[in-house]
Amino acid sequence: MTIDRIIQVFDFYNVKKTALEKEFGIGNGYFGKMERNKGDVGCSIVEKMFYKFPNVSLQWLITGSGVMLKNSDEFKPKTSLFIQEPEEMY
């Protein structure tokens, strides 16, 4: 669902839902309510997301197909995604 992908964008950019609710001029708790109820977000929210996060693929945001970022160079993890175990010497 689109709301799930919106929450992924928030997590990726480390943005608080309440901050964007205020910036977008929508009700406090809107994103949380949509997430809990698996609700549909309106076109105006998708449009605001498009302008706020220009590197996020609109196709991915709406349909879930493709990749999240248009420019994958933006993804630079702060830490390794994999825990590397030390190699044992035999």
Side-chain angles (χ1 to χ4, degrees), residues 15-62:
V15 174
K16 300 209 180 295
K17 296 174 198 173
T18 53
L20 283 185
E21 288 167 345
K22 185 175 182 178
E23 183 177 330
F24 289 176
I26 56 179
N28 194 20
Y30 174 84
F31 290 117
K33 181 180 176 184
M34 291 294 110
E35 185 178 20
R36 280 189 305 278
N37 298 328
K38 297 297 179 195
D40 291 327
V41 296
C43 292
S44 63
I45 299 299
V46 173
E47 181 181 10
K48 289 174 183 182
M49 290 290 296
F50 174 75
Y51 288 113
K52 177 71 178 172
F53 303 100
N55 195 34
V56 172
S57 165
L58 188 57
Q59 177 183 359
W60 174 83
L61 187 63
I62 295 171

